[in-house]
Amino acid sequence: MGSKAKAIASLLAATCVCSVIALILSVVNVKDVLLPPSTKYGLVFDAGSTHTSLYIYRWPADKENGTGIVSQVEACSVSGPGISSYADEPAGAGASLKPCLDKAMKIVPAEQQRETPTYLGATAGMRLLRRMWAGRGETGSTWKVPLGLVRPKVPEGREGGREGAWVSAPAAQPNPGRVWGQFSFAEQWEHPQDTEVLGALDLGGASTQITFQPGVPVQDRNTSVFFRLYGTNYSLYSHSYLCYGQSQALKMLLAALHQASSSAQISHPCYPRGYRENLTVAELYDSPCVRAPSSASPGLVLTVTGTGEPGACGTAIQSLFNFSCGAERPCGFNGVYQPPVRGQFFAFAGFYYTFHFLNLTRQQSLSEVNTTVQSFCRRNWTELVQSFPQDLKHLHTYCSMAIYILTLLLDGYKFNEHTWSNIHFSKQAANTDIGWTLGFMLNFTNMIPAEALQHVKGHQPGLWAGAVSFLVLAILAGLVAVFLQCFWKTK
């Protein structure tokens, strides 16, 4: 056989081999392959007493020592009041949540939406949650949300998300923007063994919570919480005080002033001089945290007049607490056991918002904080309205809440001038909101099995397909080389 004939034969052989390989690739089913772990998503609605927010989280399917490395993708604030206001119209609650759910559906991949865990969490004070959720069938169909695990959850007692808020607090690290609790949201996971974790101070609308890692064994098991995070066990002290959140504390204060006045005219030392408002007895006593006098007429109109007296305001707020502990064991207030506060603390939610308004979130000394609060409380209503026209809704309450926070932290939780500097007033760390929802989602990842590989359908390149492609290219390269060698030998 001549050189040209050999070259032609080699070319035909190459064509034949390529045809056979193409036939093999067309027969082999490359639709089902094993892929690396995918990203998981979770949604948590924080349904507070005054407003609702949706937090969208994600984490790799592979976990670190049993816990997912969860990070916040998005936070969406729901328009309107808290969902408890929709008690008589459950469908209205669904309509209010829909815009945030629509935003979530744009973030969570369509193929994962049906299996994405979604929780609606509310405080123990929201007794109407189950009644509202009874309309979920109708509301859910209105939303048209393809979520498979939508569950209402009412955190209550030891399950109330208090340790979740603790988890969300960043650890005292040289790089606090990266490390949270005992984990990192950055490219690598960290576990600072020799570093004490931060405590958490939360102030909601209906309740306030304190959680920290004490230096002594917790003597009361009702305040003892055990938490496992990234393979490490933690023993924490934690307690939630119902009715001592912002809105309920203000209501208790006003009710106490009303009952002390024994008339429809109420002088309020915490409200600015010149401020005046009217409300009925029924509006004042529409909460289980306050009890109306038997002689009070629900329709009676009360007139509240601010007097701007910070000293008298502090005395009135002190009357809301019982600070006596007795000789047996240390306590916070109202006889609730509490070991001495220890370590660094993050104060968020209502603590942060009030102090942020007063520009007191830069680690100012206790003396400077007191001076600022006293000065603000002495300003009259006309002056405040001119200085803060954008904050009219809550402007008259900032003095009350500032003095209330100082009373709660110093007299209630037993911080002092030496430990005050351990409190960090903050809303976020590492672009993630501090609160119970992140800890709740982390705890959720503790309860689901790790997935080393995920079975995914679709035309996806797998290891086997890559190996076949490499083999095809190698064969083709060899045949082309043989053909060219034969062809040039005929020249």
Side-chain angles (χ1 to χ4, degrees):
M1 182 182 294
S3 299
K4 290 184 178 181
K6 290 182 180 180
I8 293 173
S10 298
L11 180 59
L12 290 174
T15 303
C16 181
V17 170
C18 290
S19 299
V20 171
I21 293 174
L23 178 61
I24 293 175
L25 291 177
S26 66
V27 172
V28 173
N29 185 2
V30 195
K31 292 179 66 178
D32 296 331
V33 295
L34 291 176
L35 295 179
S38 69
T39 299
K40 301 295 184 183
Y41 291 84
L43 279 60
V44 183
F45 280 99
D46 180 1
S49 56
T50 58
H51 75 282
T52 301
S53 297
L54 171 64
Y55 295 94
I56 305 170
Y57 298 106
R58 65 185 173 198
W59 64 92
D62 273 351
K63 298 190 289 185
E64 182 66 47
N65 286 345
T67 304
I69 304 179
V70 180
S71 60
Q72 179 178 312
V73 182
E74 185 68 78
C76 179
S77 181
V78 176
S79 300
I83 63 172
S84 60
S85 62
Y86 299 99
D88 297 325
E89 186 190 1
S96 70
L97 303 181
K98 186 177 184 301
C100 284
L101 278 170
D102 289 341
K103 177 179 286 189
M105 293 307 97
K106 295 178 181 178
I107 295 175
V108 180
E111 64 273 12
Q112 292 183 248
Q113 290 175 4
R114 190 166 295 278
E115 61 186 34
T116 296
T118 304
Y119 284 88
L120 187 147
T123 61
M126 296 185 64
R127 300 167 298 164
L128 298 175
L129 177 64
R130 287 183 177 85
R131 179 181 171 185
M132 288 182 288
W133 203 258
R136 184 174 67 89
E138 173 190 350
T139 306
S141 61
T142 302
W143 294 344
K144 301 187 187 306
V145 178
L147 296 171
L149 294 175
V150 183
R151 304 171 184 174
K153 187 172 183 63
V154 185
E156 189 168 6
R158 291 166 53 127
E159 181 186 4
R162 293 168 287 152
E163 62 272 23
W166 165 79
V167 168
S168 298
Q173 288 288 314
N175 52 348
R178 290 187 56 204
V179 182
W180 283 54
Q182 295 292 298
F183 55 94
S184 170
F185 288 139
E187 65 280 356
Q188 64 180 13
W189 179 82
E190 299 183 20
H191 185 179
Q193 295 280 3
D194 300 326
T195 304
E196 294 180 1
V197 296
L198 291 180
L201 298 166
D202 190 1
L203 181 61
S207 62
T208 183
Q209 297 85 29
I210 179 172
T211 304
F212 63 98
Q213 194 171 30
V216 296
V218 177
Q219 299 177 17
D220 185 350
R221 65 179 183 180
N222 291 324
T223 60
S224 179
V225 174
F226 295 95
F227 198 89
R228 185 171 181 82
L229 183 66
Y230 293 101
T232 301
N233 294 322
Y234 297 92
S235 178
L236 308 174
Y237 168 85
S238 186
H239 185 73
S240 176
Y241 292 89
L242 187 62
C243 293
Y244 284 87
Q246 298 180 95
S247 60
Q248 295 305 315
L250 291 175
K251 192 174 287 290
M252 288 195 300
L253 175 61
L254 185 54
L257 294 171
H258 168 237
Q259 294 176 26
S261 68
S262 300
S263 72
Q265 304 297 319
I266 305 174
S267 294
H268 202 310
C270 304
Y271 285 175
R273 291 191 318 275
Y275 176 82
R276 180 185 293 261
E277 72 175 8
N278 295 322
L279 76 164
T280 65
V281 168
E283 291 172 330
L284 173 57
Y285 293 98
D286 64 347
S287 165
C289 295
V290 290
R291 180 177 299 178
S294 58
S295 59
S297 172
L300 178 64
V301 176
L302 306 174
T303 299
V304 184
T305 304
T307 60
E309 303 170 274
C313 175
T315 300
I317 288 176
Q318 288 264 341
S319 69
L320 304 179
F321 301 83
N322 176 7
F323 296 122
S324 61
C325 292
E328 293 185 2
R329 60 181 186 177
C331 77
F333 58 92
N334 295 355
V336 176
Y337 162 77
Q338 178 194 302
V341 291
R342 171 178 174 265
Q344 304 290 313
F345 284 77
F346 260 59
F348 45 93
F351 290 116
Y352 168 79
Y353 289 116
T354 296
F355 271 43
H356 178 261
F357 173 82
L358 297 171
N359 199 22
L360 291 174
T361 58
R362 302 191 312 275
Q363 293 297 103
Q364 289 96 327
S365 67
L366 180 57
S367 174
E368 184 177 350
V369 169
N370 277 319
T371 300
T372 300
V373 171
Q374 295 286 317
S375 176
F376 178 84
C377 289
R378 292 192 180 97
R379 300 175 69 176
N380 63 55
W381 180 240
T382 301
E383 180 186 355
L384 290 175
V385 169
Q386 293 175 349
S387 301
F388 307 98
Q390 72 280 9
D391 293 298
L392 295 182
K393 182 178 180 181
H394 302 291
L395 187 57
H396 66 289
T397 68
Y398 281 118
C399 171
S400 305
M401 286 315 306
I403 294 180
Y404 177 77
I405 286 173
L406 287 170
T407 303
L408 175 62
L409 294 177
L410 298 173
D411 299 311
Y413 292 148
K414 305 299 189 290
F415 287 92
N416 54 43
E417 59 181 343
H418 303 293
T419 57
W420 177 262
S421 60
N422 294 343
I423 304 175
H424 307 265
F425 295 88
S426 183
K427 177 186 177 183
Q428 284 191 328
N431 298 318
T432 301
D433 292 270
I434 304 173
W436 69 267
T437 56
L438 173 60
F440 177 85
M441 189 54 65
L442 277 164
N443 196 41
F444 173 81
T445 67
N446 280 338
M447 297 182 291
I448 59 177
E451 295 179 15
L453 292 172
Q454 183 185 17
H455 195 68
V456 180
K457 290 187 176 182
H459 291 281
Q460 303 284 356
L463 292 176
W464 184 87
V468 171
S469 299
F470 178 81
L471 180 61
V472 170
L473 291 175
I475 294 174
L476 286 176
L479 291 175
V480 169
V482 172
F483 169 75
L484 291 176
Q485 182 180 14
C486 296
F487 178 79
W488 287 110
K489 283 184 178 180
T490 60
K491 295 293 184 178

